[in-house]
Amino acid sequence: MIEFGALNWSILIAYIIANLALGLVIGKKIKSDQDFYLGQKTTPWWAIGISVVATYVSAMTFLGAPAWAYKEGLSVIAIHLNYPLVIMAVIIFFFPFFYNAGVASIYEYQEKRFGKRARALISSIWLVSQTMSSAAVLYATSVVLSFITGIDVIAAIVIVTVIALVYTVLGGITAVIWTDVIQSVILFVGAGIIFYALTNESDFSVMDSLAQLKAEGKLNPLLTDWDFTATTTVWSGIIAMTLYHTTVYGTNQMMVQRTLAAKNIGDAKKSYLLMGFAAFFIYLFFIILGVLFYSYYQGKPFDNDNTIILQFAADYGMPGLMGIIAAAVMAASMSSLDSAFNSLSTVSTIDFYKKYFKKNQSEAHYLKVSRFFTLFWALLIIFPAIMYHLHSTGSILEVLSKVGSYFVGAQLGMFALGFFSKQATENGLLVGTLTGFIVVAAVAIGTDIAWPWYCLIGAGVNGIVTLIASRLIDGKQEILSEYTIKGQQLKFAREGLAEKENGWYRVPGKVDPINYWLFAFFIATLLFLGGLQFMV
């Protein structure tokens, strides 16, 4: 705990009030449940794109990435090399299905392709996984507030939840997007000040820090060992984590829902392309911060590595800096929490309440129910957040990734089978998904295989078992579903539908030209990192 002071409190309180006021203003425009889920489809693509960036570049990154790099060196960047490949996959295969269907819950696709049980299953999987992931984000923020203000960690968890809850309940997805824009500015301003202070305070440059890492064998960002027990090899980054992040960006209601609020499919794709080109630089920046901290503190151990950036801010002593950092980390956290609350509410209302309990009610009724579910999930998330506080001391970015890795294989397998397989059936899918869960649990408990590979293992087992079980239970399928990639392409050709809208493909599997530039960018980042050791 440090002396927070009146100036720091003023900065933090002003930030909180601004978020609540924005939620109140936007909330006056929310008249229906569709407004709550999707807004009025007037949000510009760049705001949606910034919101996507802010949601995933959360407090996990602000605190966790420097902590992870402090411990393991530059190889941590390998986990984040894959974003160009991920964004390509999502906008080529996933977006056309979701956007053409005009859905609010992306899991409606599973019912169209397989049936009601498949939709209920994947919705349930996502509700559980997102609750656990959001709890890790909430825990991260509580660490910050406790460290810099002296507030009890559990009290901090409750406070942050209430603040994010209020403006999300009021303003829905539109409030989520616009508060994320503000929060992303605060986040990067705070990180920029820390970077400036660190380089200004130190007697060494970034290149000096990299040279120290090289001398200690921690500089190589592209570890090419085929060691499946190592987390940060180039193979886990390009193969395993490409699948992991494809699931995060393609099958995660929290990430996709804001793009459904775009004016058209072109704007939806552009919002994701922003992340495709920006993610590498964002993560590299925070990892370089960790490298600089390693040199500044000469690798000394911390009781909790996630407080490194906070300890430096406290030591630096700039008036108001701790207030800015507190606001930045709260911004990073709430940009993820508000998105989670809104999406958890959307899936609960559409996939369960509206479908199984109260059909054909008024828009006002479903809006009220959506706000109730927002409150419900916000309160529920508090409990696993407290568990993280009691039992986790490692990098919270790594904690979050581990939690997600248990679930993403099932989600990816279900969508991949729907897109690409003619023979997969609902009965087979249920058997395959359950088997995949069991195998991933056995691998996690009984082997030393690193968590990035769980997605590949889960999805692979799911796919193989589903196809076998589908044939045994339902026999050979003669009819191609129109909700496969091939089925959609045939439908567009058969019905003479326009393949493009405003220059962007609406047909799944068609490649917009910008994707070739994105792939070239991916190759360029590999070449840059591969040559880094020779530059130092």
Side-chain angles (χ1 to χ4, degrees):
M1 175 182 172
I2 63 169
E3 182 64 34
F4 198 49
L7 176 60
N8 291 319
W9 276 115
S10 299
I11 293 171
L12 183 57
I13 292 171
Y15 160 74
I16 293 170
I17 292 173
N19 276 279
L20 296 177
L22 183 58
L24 181 62
V25 171
I26 294 174
K28 294 179 180 179
K29 300 179 181 179
I30 304 299
K31 305 299 181 184
S32 70
D33 58 328
Q34 290 299 307
D35 289 345
F36 190 80
Y37 308 143
L38 302 177
Q40 298 172 330
K41 287 189 173 288
T42 57
T43 309
W45 69 266
W46 56 266
I48 296 173
I50 292 173
S51 178
V52 169
V53 171
T55 295
Y56 204 65
V57 182
S58 64
M60 302 294 100
T61 301
F62 193 92
L63 299 176
W68 203 354
Y70 189 91
K71 181 173 63 176
E72 297 196 20
L74 209 61
S75 65
V76 175
I77 192 64
I79 295 294
H80 303 290
L81 285 173
N82 48 69
Y83 284 99
L85 302 180
V86 169
I87 299 305
M88 286 174 63
V90 173
I91 66 176
I92 291 171
F93 298 115
F94 290 79
F95 271 13
F97 278 107
F98 302 149
Y99 212 91
N100 293 340
V103 299
S105 167
I106 63 173
Y107 306 124
E108 291 182 44
Y109 166 79
Q110 288 292 319
E111 181 174 353
K112 294 177 183 294
R113 174 63 181 88
F114 293 112
K116 293 180 180 180
R117 290 177 298 161
R119 177 179 177 179
L121 175 61
I122 195 167
S123 297
S124 300
I125 291 170
W126 181 78
L127 288 173
V128 173
S129 64
Q130 190 57 55
T131 299
M132 300 304 294
S133 298
S134 297
V137 174
L138 185 54
Y139 155 66
T141 311
S142 72
V143 171
V144 178
L145 292 182
S146 178
F147 182 87
I148 64 180
T149 68
I151 297 174
D152 179 74
V153 172
I154 295 176
I157 287 172
V158 175
I159 290 170
V160 174
T161 300
V162 170
I163 295 169
L165 170 65
V166 170
Y167 70 76
T168 306
V169 166
L170 290 172
I173 191 65
T174 306
V176 167
I177 291 171
W178 285 111
T179 52
D180 283 356
V181 172
I182 295 172
Q183 289 160 355
S184 65
V185 172
I186 296 171
L187 169 66
F188 290 114
V189 166
I193 292 173
I194 288 291
F195 183 82
Y196 171 79
L198 185 56
T199 53
N200 190 56
E201 186 79 1
S202 304
D203 296 327
F204 51 83
S205 65
V206 174
M207 295 304 292
D208 293 332
S209 298
L210 293 176
Q212 180 182 353
L213 279 189
K214 184 175 183 179
E216 297 181 17
K218 291 186 173 184
L219 179 64
N220 187 5
L222 302 177
L223 301 177
T224 56
D225 297 336
W226 283 99
D227 181 0
F228 292 100
T229 65
T231 302
T232 56
T233 67
V234 67
W235 310 118
S236 66
I238 294 177
I239 300 173
M241 288 304 291
T242 294
L243 298 177
Y244 179 101
H245 284 136
T246 297
T247 309
V248 170
Y249 282 90
T251 74
N252 187 330
Q253 176 74 19
M254 184 181 77
M255 301 304 297
V256 177
Q257 184 175 335
R258 73 206 61 222
T259 68
L260 301 177
K263 300 173 185 177
N264 50 57
I265 194 170
D267 276 11
K269 289 184 175 183
K270 284 188 286 185
S271 68
Y272 257 40
L273 285 165
L274 181 64
M275 184 67 177
F277 284 107
F280 172 78
F281 299 107
I282 293 169
Y283 283 103
L284 182 63
F285 172 80
F286 282 102
I287 288 167
I288 290 295
L289 266 183
V291 170
L292 291 173
F293 282 131
Y294 185 82
S295 295
Y296 185 81
Y297 288 111
Q298 289 300 300
K300 78 172 186 179
F302 285 80
D303 291 336
N304 187 329
D305 290 342
N306 299 303
T307 62
I308 294 173
I309 196 169
L310 307 176
Q311 185 62 57
F312 174 79
D315 295 341
Y316 188 61
M318 171 183 165
L321 179 57
M322 289 307 296
I324 294 172
I325 297 305
V329 179
M330 283 194 71
S333 176
M334 289 195 294
S335 66
S336 299
L337 289 174
D338 56 17
S339 304
F341 295 164
N342 185 264
S343 298
L344 288 164
S345 170
T346 300
V347 170
S348 300
T349 304
I350 294 176
D351 291 346
F352 293 99
Y353 181 84
K354 193 173 184 178
K355 187 168 186 61
Y356 296 107
F357 297 99
K358 290 284 187 178
K359 299 180 180 179
N360 304 317
Q361 298 294 311
S362 67
E363 291 183 344
H365 174 81
Y366 290 125
L367 175 59
K368 186 181 298 184
V369 170
S370 297
R371 285 174 164 158
F372 166 77
F373 275 122
T374 305
L375 172 63
F376 170 80
W377 286 108
L379 296 177
L380 185 64
I381 284 169
I382 289 173
F383 296 101
I386 293 173
M387 293 300 101
Y388 284 129
H389 162 57
L390 296 176
H391 300 292
S392 176
T393 58
S395 165
I396 46 182
L397 181 60
E398 189 170 10
V399 168
L400 175 65
S401 300
K402 284 181 177 178
V403 169
S405 65
Y406 288 97
F407 299 94
V408 292
Q411 293 173 251
L412 181 62
M414 292 181 75
F415 275 94
L417 287 162
F419 290 164
F420 298 106
S421 174
K422 175 182 177 180
Q423 298 301 322
T425 66
E426 185 177 34
N427 290 321
L429 186 69
L430 298 177
V431 174
T433 302
L434 176 61
T435 306
F437 265 123
I438 294 171
V439 171
V440 168
V443 169
I445 294 170
T447 75
D448 294 326
I449 294 175
W451 59 263
W453 296 100
Y454 295 171
C455 178
L456 176 60
I457 293 169
V461 171
N462 188 356
I464 293 170
V465 174
T466 293
L467 293 176
I468 295 173
S470 295
R471 180 61 66 91
L472 292 176
I473 298 171
D474 298 309
K476 184 177 181 180
Q477 302 300 298
E478 302 294 342
I479 300 174
L480 177 68
S481 169
E482 71 174 59
Y483 294 102
T484 60
I485 300 289
K486 186 64 175 177
Q488 282 285 290
Q489 292 175 347
L490 292 173
K491 178 182 177 180
F492 269 73
R494 182 175 63 252
E495 298 180 10
L497 301 175
E499 290 193 345
K500 289 186 176 182
E501 179 184 0
N502 298 325
W504 295 86
Y505 278 112
R506 296 173 58 230
V507 186
K510 296 288 187 177
V511 182
D512 296 296
I514 188 68
N515 287 287
Y516 297 113
W517 288 103
L518 194 56
F519 184 74
F521 174 73
F522 167 71
I523 298 298
T525 60
L526 288 180
L527 294 174
F528 167 73
L529 292 174
L532 190 60
Q533 290 199 93
F534 303 102
M535 303 178 194
V536 178

